[in-house]
Structures are given as C-alpha cells and as structure tokens.
Amino acid sequence: IYCFISCGATDGKEKIAKANIEAIDEENKEVVYNVIGGDLIELYKVFKITVHVDTKSENNLVTWTFDYEKLTEGVENPNTLMDFSIDVTKDIESHHLQAQS
C-alpha cells in the first residue's frame, strides 16, 4: 500500500513523500510507514515514520517517531516534518472533538 504525504513546506516549496505502510498494529494503535520516494529520499538514506496513539486515559496521546539516516552529515534534521506532524495531529483532534459534539 502506498500513500503520499505532504510534508509541509521548506524554502517555500512543498515536500512530498511516497511511503508504504510497513505495519499496522491495531491492538497497540500503531502504524509504521517506510518512505520509499519523494523529496525525503533525496536527503535521507532511510526514513521511517511511526505513529502511535495512547488511549489509556481520558486524554489521547499521539507520538510520532522518525527513524532516519542522513545521506551526508550536512543534511539537517527533519524539523519541518515535526512541525507538520504537530499540525496534522491538531487537525485530527479538532475533527474528533467536532464529531463528539
């Protein structure tokens, strides 16, 4: 399964990642994506994204984990992707809160 992820903008340019879903763990509410194409592959040799939702309390906690290997030492950390992930999480939260009301 492939999906395309808009990774936000850097230097005014939208970034796109082509990823496959490597694993879905419904019991532990976790999805692992393996980036296989797009802009991220130009910077990173390996890039995996894990999204985990903890629903043990009233408040849900979403954890995004990025496992990556830079192609060169000069490549920056994926900070814009972290900002994008926070925005996506907030959008999902807003959608769920709207559905509950």
Side-chain angles (χ1 to χ4, degrees), residues 7 10 15-18 34-49 66-82:
C7 302
T10 56
K15 300 293 183 189
I16 301 293
K18 181 180 178 182
N34 183 27
V35 177
I36 57 172
D39 299 304
L40 291 178
I41 294 302
E42 295 175 8
L43 302 172
Y44 305 97
K45 184 177 181 180
V46 175
F47 205 104
K48 289 190 181 190
I49 303 168
F66 304 122
D67 293 314
Y68 57 91
E69 181 181 342
K70 298 176 182 180
L71 281 175
T72 65
E73 289 185 29
V75 172
E76 294 185 14
N77 292 323
N79 294 332
T80 56
L81 187 55
M82 290 187 284

Side-chain angles (χ1 to χ4, degrees), residues 2-20:
Y2 297 106
C3 61
F4 291 89
I5 305 167
S6 172
C7 302
T10 56
D11 300 331
K13 299 178 184 175
E14 280 291 314
K15 300 293 183 189
I16 301 293
K18 181 180 178 182
N20 65 1

Side-chain angles (χ1 to χ4, degrees), residues 36-99:
I36 57 172
D39 299 304
L40 291 178
I41 294 302
E42 295 175 8
L43 302 172
Y44 305 97
K45 184 177 181 180
V46 175
F47 205 104
K48 289 190 181 190
I49 303 168
T50 302
V51 182
H52 175 258
V53 179
D54 183 355
T55 58
K56 294 180 183 173
S57 66
E58 283 184 22
N59 298 320
N60 297 327
L61 175 66
V62 178
T63 304
W64 292 72
T65 305
F66 304 122
D67 293 314
Y68 57 91
E69 181 181 342
K70 298 176 182 180
L71 281 175
T72 65
E73 289 185 29
V75 172
E76 294 185 14
N77 292 323
N79 294 332
T80 56
L81 187 55
M82 290 187 284
D83 295 339
F84 168 78
S85 301
I86 291 168
D87 291 341
V88 168
T89 302
K90 287 178 181 179
D91 288 346
I92 292 169
E93 177 185 38
S94 295
H95 175 76
H96 283 279
L97 290 175
Q98 199 173 48

